[in-house]
Amino acid sequence: IPEQLYDVLSLQEIFLYQNRLSGTISDKILNLWSLRKFNLSSNRISGRIPSTLRSNGRGIYRIHTFTVYDNQMTGTIPFEGSRLRNMFYLDLGRNRFSGTIPSLDEYVRLRYLYLDHNQFTGTLPSDIINVGDGRLKALAVNDNRFRGELPGNHMLITELMQITAQNNQFTSMNDRTCKLSVLATGELSEFKSDCDICDCGKNDQMCKHCYN
């Protein structure tokens, strides 16, 4: 990625997906105050997400979309306390990220969160499905190394339409997750988990795939 790119301070959108770009994301991303959309999907980007990707009253507080799907990135997620309140779409899928997931409760506008196909460990924050003030629409955490309970402590009103959590080490699923189904009281139309934790019953749409 050319270093000069980060000197274009008025830059609002970066779309460089599906190329053969290599290298890392520079700490100078902090300088792009006007940046709203950043897409480097399907390249060969390595290294970590810069710790300078934060607002704190300065920096790229306007950023709406950040996707590095299908690269070779590593390290942990440096987003706790980053105050990126305008983030709407966050896709870190198909990389080599590791560590635990920090609290994302500051992400009040987040609607799409993709963390799938990485090496994340530990338990998921109990309120992760309430990210975005309960208006999260898609949550993908499949193909990692998460353990413990798949959280289901959802708000009374939720807009979740997709949860994919299969191929992890979860040992249980909160039974309130069953109530998220579009056939119950929620909006959930796509749900995938390992069958050993899916306890909604064979007649419930949520776990129907386990009884075919």
Side-chain angles (χ1 to χ4, degrees):
I1 304 174
E3 194 75 7
Q4 296 90 332
L5 184 70
Y6 302 100
D7 295 328
V8 186
L9 304 185
S10 60
L11 201 59
Q12 295 185 21
E13 299 181 358
I14 297 176
F15 289 95
L16 295 173
Y17 54 90
Q18 293 182 344
N19 286 288
R20 298 180 180 177
L21 297 175
S22 58
T24 61
I25 300 174
S26 173
D27 287 341
K28 291 173 65 177
I29 194 172
L30 174 69
N31 298 335
L32 302 179
W33 288 17
S34 299
L35 189 65
R36 285 182 45 80
K37 297 182 180 181
F38 184 84
N39 189 335
L40 291 182
S41 297
S42 301
N43 281 289
R44 301 171 183 172
I45 305 300
S46 58
R48 297 171 174 261
I49 297 174
S51 60
T52 54
L53 189 67
R54 58 182 55 247
S55 174
N56 295 333
R58 294 168 57 86
I60 54 175
Y61 65 91
R62 293 187 178 93
I63 194 160
H64 171 281
T65 300
F66 183 86
T67 173
V68 290
Y69 172 82
D70 190 21
N71 278 284
Q72 301 168 14
M73 298 189 69
T74 57
T76 57
I77 299 180
F79 291 155
E80 187 167 19
S82 58
R83 301 180 66 185
L84 299 175
R85 298 180 181 275
N86 291 312
M87 187 75 76
F88 181 88
Y89 188 102
L90 178 59
D91 190 348
L92 309 182
R94 291 192 180 276
N95 279 280
R96 300 171 188 170
F97 292 116
S98 58
T100 58
I101 304 301
S103 173
L104 300 174
D105 58 358
E106 293 182 345
Y107 287 60
V108 294
R109 292 181 176 86
L110 192 63
R111 300 293 180 269
Y112 300 89
L113 177 59
Y114 299 98
L115 305 172
D116 56 287
H117 294 90
N118 279 287
Q119 300 170 17
F120 291 120
T121 56
T123 58
L124 285 175
S126 61
D127 60 349
I128 192 167
I129 62 174
N130 292 325
V131 168
D133 282 350
R135 290 174 289 178
L136 191 68
K137 294 182 180 295
L139 173 65
V141 296
N142 55 288
D143 294 274
N144 280 285
R145 300 172 186 172
F146 292 119
R147 55 180 173 79
E149 182 181 71
L150 176 62
N153 186 26
H154 58 86
M155 292 180 175
L156 181 62
I157 299 175
T158 178
E159 298 182 9
L160 264 171
M161 296 186 293
Q162 174 192 17
I163 298 178
T164 55
Q166 72 275 19
N167 300 324
N168 278 287
Q169 299 170 16
F170 291 119
T171 54
S172 63
M173 182 179 84
N174 191 299
D175 58 6
R176 282 180 288 186
T177 301
C178 302
K179 298 178 182 179
L180 297 176
S181 170
V182 68
L183 299 179
T185 60
E187 301 291 334
L188 195 64
S189 58
E190 180 182 355
F191 177 78
K192 295 179 181 178
S193 74
D194 295 323
C195 290
D196 58 346
I197 68 165
C198 202
D199 294 330
C200 299
K202 65 180 180 181
N203 295 321
D204 192 288
Q205 189 67 26
M206 298 275 282
C207 299
K208 189 176 180 180
H209 64 283
C210 295
Y211 297 92
N212 292 335

